[in-house]
Amino acid sequence: MAANPDKEKKVETFPVPDTPRPGEAPQPWGKTRFVGKPLPRVDAYELVSGSAVYSSDVRLPNMLYGAILGCPHPNALVKRLDTGRAEKMPGVRFVISGATPEANLKWPYRQWRPPKEISGKLFDPHCRFEGDAVAAVAAETPYQARDALRAITVEYEVLPFVVDERKALEAGAPPVQDEGNLVQTERYERGDVAKGFTEADLILEENYRTACEIHTPMELHGCVAHWEGDRLTLWESTQGVFAIQSEIAAILGLPLAKIRVIGHYMGGGFGSKLQPGKYTAIAALLARRAGRPVKLILSREETYLMVGNRPPCNMRLKAGVKKNGTLTALDFSLLATGGAYPAGGTALVDWQVRDLYNCPNVRIESTDVYVNAGPARPFRAPGHPQGSWALEQMMDALAKSLKMDPVELRVKNVPTVSQGRDGQPPYVTSGLKQCLEEGARAFGWKDARGKTGKPAANDSGKGDLRRGVGMASGLWFAGGAMPPATIIIRMFSDGSVNLNMGASDLGTGTKTVMACVAAEELGVPPESIQIENADTGTTQYTRPSGGSKTVPTESPAVRAAAIHVKQQLLSMAAEELKVDPSDLTLMDGTIASRSDSSKSVKISALAGLKKRGVIIGIGSRDPDPAGKIVNPFAAQFCEVEVNIKTGEVKILRFLGAHDSGRVMNRLTYDNQVFGGITMGIGLAMTEGRVLDGTQTGKMLNRNWYEYKLPTALDVPTELVSLPIELLSPEINTTGAKGLGEPVTIPTAAAIANAVYDATGIRVTASPISPMQLCKLLSERLKEG
Ligand code: MOS
């Protein structure tokens, strides 16, 4: 990429710390040159110039295009399928469906928490959700493929449906699966909840609901499939090439080694690209039959129906608290749906209630049901923002009733152990208290809180505008260690460096962070390090980029690989310079003796390296410390202005205080914080899947016009990121705890609390649309 003169200026130069002796774990850095600095992305030029290649850009010679016919009904049986007319259309090669022998495959639907599995079919004659695959076409152009879909005649037996999870268990609700509409009920209990409530001075109880959200990453879902003999290569837009490899191997019955999955640049996934879609398997089948590569990219509309969502969630929370703010009991029951198959409708919704605050008595009952809608998939901090919406609004209400500051109430209940886990292991580090206190200070919480609820100063005499401030905190249940992770770094004879990593950069800046970590050890500029894209054929095995694990899992392995290179390099140089390796430093391509400045050598001049051609460093990741928990923590603060005539809410400013361990790159760190807040604004204010529950069961807002994502106009210009950087060698050898998900957990609840502060109205169902808020405001007027 082009040199950035400013960047050179900003980088402070400090000596790189000594290389640990073999077998010694590297400790977190002292002063750094690259790690933690606001260095621009190493691939910024490719990203902004449009030269970065995404999977959807891949075009192979002789390539066909695939398209999938989706069922237009939420519940229907395919009675008859006539593909004759479509097959005769110009450019159309063939059509496949459940009647095609090699396409008569099982399609597994897996719920990861608690585990449950049901199989459907790749082309299921019983379509249980709108958009499920009925047939697929291969044609010479994408337009011919889509035209052909319209020429396929399907006779459906349309069945009654249920799309509202609140009605799924009612008597007479149409059964979505043969086993009925109950997926399962999961229970958790600690202490004695009944006793806890008797100890409480105040008990509050409230119902909450969050609407269903759709991931809508910028880059659509899809892939290019190509066979060479019996080996399948997939270019897939995915968070994890190895996850696609293993699932497609199981579905198509192929040996893992016969599937190569290549990732490229990615335009986001947010959890929806942790697994293959039917499109992946269908592209592979079309390509095998055609003997030609097939590209199959879903339309935006199809991604709204077929590739996952954040499930809607209904919650009831009862909380008991003493006058002094000590929580005595939490009783939480929830009802959610992962759609027509087991997909984790309630998964992790309980985690905030379980683990965020000290509370000895907790009872949770999570009920997961089937409805006739597309299956859920993990969605940025699965379950956590939903649970936060309930718990953090409840904490706000408790504080109000206790006449206690909401920050103070939370600080009173900060835990030091993970209460939700067996044995209540301690956290390696917990910055929750600092997030709350330092966040409040930086935000000007006390001062702002004193001025709210009254007409705003900028209100030009109409008296309609009310200011309010709100806050919420949160924790993310994972800290990032999901080994195995293996990294290979090669240093060539000219000193240039290649980094081989199997993890995908979803667009978050993973490559930049890894380049900084390697550069820190090797004393080379980060942008000079060549990083390979994730590829099962050439890069090292790792789990998908999800769970905010990419940086905390991969970066220690990158550091270890870089140290491995450095150790070999320094011992080579020590031999040539006739000094002890511990006397050597490595900086900007030169190895020099500390004690004798006349002794130095450029890496490119090392005779040993010239002879060998390459130094190979291998790094891996140790597991987290046994018996301890590595979790990120968060607190967010915001100020809103509500128009009490129109119900419009303007978010004026936001501050995110995050303990995610070490800041690996200040720019990508802040990007994550602001991106997470933006996504949380979507949950709070604008987003919600609308299904027609009475007539058709179809999704009514399946495009970027009717499904309202927050735009630049909905996001405040004053966004502040306040890292709370608690470090411990026990976190891992780089000190990062995971950031991508915690940043979106408390956002929506903080906004709801600010709206309450401004208006005295508690909006318990998302989104806080002007229409809903107006209705609540007018109801209050009627009540007088
Ligand atoms: Mo995430 S929802 O684990 O990509």
Side-chain angles (χ1 to χ4, degrees):
M1 64 172 277
N4 175 353
D6 291 344
K7 181 162 62 181
E8 257 51 65
K9 264 182 258 155
K10 263 187 248 151
V11 177
E12 306 155 62
T13 47
F14 296 109
V16 179
D18 287 347
T19 304
R21 278 176 290 276
E24 186 183 87
Q27 297 304 303
W29 292 277
K31 286 181 173 175
T32 57
R33 290 173 80 189
F34 307 118
V35 170
K37 304 288 186 272
L39 299 180
R41 295 192 184 208
V42 292
D43 47 5
Y45 179 82
E46 285 85 340
L47 290 166
V48 300
S49 65
S51 59
V53 173
Y54 293 78
S55 300
S56 44
D57 294 324
V58 170
R59 219 183 281 183
L60 299 182
N62 204 25
M63 190 167 78
L64 291 172
Y65 292 84
I68 299 172
L69 178 68
C71 176
H73 308 291
N75 197 17
L77 299 173
V78 177
K79 288 310 220 190
R80 208 176 59 85
L81 187 70
D82 182 356
T83 59
R85 197 156 67 91
E87 274 156 356
K88 288 190 202 81
M89 287 174 67
V92 174
R93 289 293 148 255
F94 51 84
V95 180
I96 62 170
S97 69
T100 313
E102 76 266 24
N104 184 12
L105 294 172
K106 274 192 180 167
W107 189 261
Y109 289 96
R110 224 167 284 133
Q111 172 152 324
W112 49 289
R113 192 174 177 280
K116 174 160 180 166
E117 189 170 326
I118 286 189
S119 277
K121 288 279 191 91
L122 179 61
F123 296 106
D124 206 312
H126 184 170
C127 297
R128 293 180 167 88
F129 61 91
E130 185 194 9
D132 200 5
V134 172
V137 172
E140 295 292 337
T141 72
Y143 313 102
Q144 288 170 329
R146 290 205 172 263
D147 284 348
L149 294 183
R150 293 185 190 90
I152 298 174
T153 316
V154 191
E155 205 179 282
Y156 292 101
E157 180 184 338
V158 179
L159 303 171
F161 60 84
V162 56
V163 294
D164 187 333
E165 73 285 354
R166 292 162 291 192
K167 296 181 178 160
L169 295 180
E170 283 177 2
V176 178
Q177 291 288 349
D178 296 342
E179 63 177 32
N181 290 343
L182 178 66
V183 182
Q184 55 199 352
T185 297
E186 191 193 10
R187 292 187 177 83
Y188 167 84
E189 189 158 7
R190 70 167 180 259
D192 182 340
V193 172
K195 188 168 143 274
F197 283 120
T198 63
E199 289 164 3
D201 297 315
L202 168 72
I203 296 171
L204 294 181
E205 199 168 351
E206 184 63 86
N207 293 317
Y208 304 90
R209 184 171 200 273
T210 49
C212 174
E213 287 186 285
I214 308 292
H215 301 77
T216 59
M218 288 288 280
E219 188 194 11
L220 295 163
H221 297 64
C223 73
V224 175
H226 179 45
W227 294 81
E228 288 156 293
D230 61 352
R231 189 192 198 193
L232 170 65
T233 302
L234 293 164
W235 286 260
E236 169 115 358
S237 176
T238 177
Q239 295 175 231
V241 290
F242 293 95
I244 302 298
Q245 181 196 36
S246 65
E247 296 212 22
I248 289 298
I251 289 159
L252 297 184
L254 292 170
L256 287 161
K258 292 289 183 190
I259 300 180
R260 178 176 178 189
V261 182
I262 301 175
H264 272 271
Y265 277 90
M266 258 199 84
F270 307 113
S272 70
K273 293 177 183 169
L274 287 165
Q275 59 200 75
K278 285 191 174 178
Y279 53 86
T280 318
I282 289 170
L285 292 174
L286 293 172
R288 186 159 64 185
R289 175 174 270 225
R292 293 168 65 179
V294 170
K295 181 172 193 167
L296 204 173
I297 306 289
L298 297 186
S299 68
R300 180 61 63 188
E301 177 167 318
E302 287 165 342
T303 68
Y304 273 88
L305 301 172
M306 293 167 64
V307 296
N309 52 69
R310 184 192 293 289
C313 193
N314 306 276
M315 299 164 277
R316 181 163 190 83
L317 179 60
K318 183 177 169 187
V321 67
K322 290 196 176 171
K323 275 201 199 94
N324 67 4
T326 309
L327 284 170
T328 62
L330 292 166
D331 193 357
F332 192 40
S333 48
L334 47 130
L335 174 78
T337 181
Y341 290 90
T346 58
L348 294 176
V349 175
D350 64 342
W351 203 262
Q352 300 298 296
V353 170
R354 260 202 211 209
D355 226 24
L356 182 57
Y357 300 118
N358 254 332
C359 185
N361 309 300
V362 175
R363 182 167 61 196
I364 295 160
E365 190 180 287
S366 313
T367 301
D368 217 316
V369 297
Y370 296 115
V371 297
N372 293 108
R377 281 186 185 178
F379 189 143
R380 201 173 191 171
H384 286 54
Q386 298 98 299
S388 171
W389 178 257
L391 176 65
E392 292 301 281
Q393 289 208 60
M394 175 56 81
M395 291 297 280
D396 200 65
L398 291 172
K400 171 88 180 168
S401 297
L402 292 170
K403 299 195 170 52
M404 191 179 274
D405 183 274
V407 175
E408 195 192 326
L409 175 63
R410 286 168 172 86
V411 169
K412 269 205 155 79
N413 291 287
V414 167
T416 55
V417 301
S418 174
Q419 303 163 92
R421 291 177 169 94
D422 290 342
Q424 309 216 343
Y427 294 116
V428 160
T429 53
S430 166
L432 180 55
K433 187 162 181 278
Q434 289 91 327
C435 289
L436 287 160
E437 290 177 343
E438 291 174 35
R441 212 167 13 249
F443 182 81
W445 171 257
K446 279 246 154 70
D447 189 42
R449 189 81 176 174
K451 291 184 192 146
T452 54
K454 304 170 204 82
N458 63 335
D459 196 343
S460 51
K462 289 191 195 142
D464 296 337
L465 301 180
R466 297 283 185 281
R467 287 279 176 100
V469 290
M471 56 79 51
S473 45
L475 94 166
W476 169 237
F477 91 121
M482 284 190 221
T486 308
I487 297 286
I488 291 180
I489 293 181
R490 286 173 294 171
M491 180 180 268
F492 296 104
S493 57
D494 60 353
S496 66
V497 175
N498 175 287
L499 194 160
N500 179 305
M501 172 176 71
S504 307
D505 184 338
L506 315 187
T508 54
T510 306
K511 284 180 184 169
T512 305
V513 168
M514 302 311 157
C516 289
V517 170
E520 197 69 60
E521 297 299 341
L522 297 173
V524 298
E527 63 271 21
S528 74
I529 296 176
Q530 179 61 43
I531 304 184
E532 299 302 322
N533 285 314
D535 179 340
T536 62
T538 58
T539 60
Q540 308 314 305
Y541 184 86
T542 189
R543 290 186 209 285
S545 293
S548 304
K549 62 69 96 165
T550 318
V551 168
T553 299
E554 309 295 332
S555 69
V558 169
R559 191 173 182 204
I563 287 171
H564 190 206
V565 168
K566 189 172 159 182
Q567 283 169 336
Q568 297 173 66
L569 192 63
L570 293 189
S571 57
M572 209 176 256
E575 220 167 274
E576 293 182 27
L577 295 172
K578 308 216 172 358
V579 295
D580 193 79
S582 64
D583 183 42
L584 291 175
T585 63
L586 168 59
M587 178 85 77
D588 298 328
T590 299
I591 301 162
S593 158
R594 271 181 255 252
S595 57
D596 179 353
S597 60
S598 72
K599 289 191 167 178
S600 73
V601 60
K602 278 194 167 351
I603 293 174
S604 54
L606 277 172
L609 182 53
K610 270 230 169 64
K611 206 166 133 208
R612 258 170 66 177
V614 70
I615 292 176
I616 297 172
I618 302 174
S620 58
R621 164 68 150 95
D622 291 332
D624 281 351
K628 296 197 177 178
I629 299 297
V630 181
N631 274 177
F633 295 88
Q636 293 182 351
F637 301 78
C638 70
E639 180 160 7
V640 302
E641 186 175 87
V642 183
N643 185 320
I644 58 165
K645 280 264 167 63
T646 64
E648 288 165 290
V649 178
K650 195 169 172 190
I651 301 169
L652 301 173
R653 62 191 179 109
F654 235 103
L655 179 141
H658 290 275
D659 163 26
S660 284
R662 184 187 295 277
V663 177
M664 301 298 287
N665 176 302
R666 188 57 202 264
L667 285 181
T668 61
Y669 185 99
D670 290 352
N671 279 173
Q672 285 299 303
V673 174
F674 302 152
I677 288 172
T678 303
M679 220 156 187
I681 289 173
L683 172 59
M685 306 306 300
T686 61
E687 293 182 52
R689 177 183 71 182
V690 181
L691 299 174
D692 171 11
T694 53
Q695 296 186 46
T696 64
K698 289 163 80 75
M699 182 174 178
L700 301 178
N701 54 343
R702 57 180 78 187
N703 52 64
W704 271 354
Y705 174 67
E706 287 159 310
Y707 181 91
K708 298 291 185 194
L709 288 171
T711 69
L713 294 176
D714 301 299
V715 177
T717 45
E718 192 183 331
L719 284 168
V720 180
S721 158
L722 178 72
I724 303 293
E725 212 173 358
L726 298 185
L727 296 180
S728 155
E730 281 189 307
I731 295 171
N732 57 53
T733 58
T734 63
K737 292 205 289 188
L739 181 67
E741 284 162 302
V743 291
T744 203
I745 292 168
T747 309
I751 296 168
N753 291 340
V755 168
Y756 176 82
D757 185 47
T759 63
I761 289 189
R762 192 151 287 291
V763 187
T764 57
S766 80
I768 309 173
S769 62
M771 198 138 57
Q772 184 188 183
L773 192 50
C774 236
K775 185 165 159 269
L776 294 170
L777 284 158
S778 67
E779 276 167 14
R780 183 175 65 180
L781 274 182
K782 268 183 242 152
E783 286 161 12

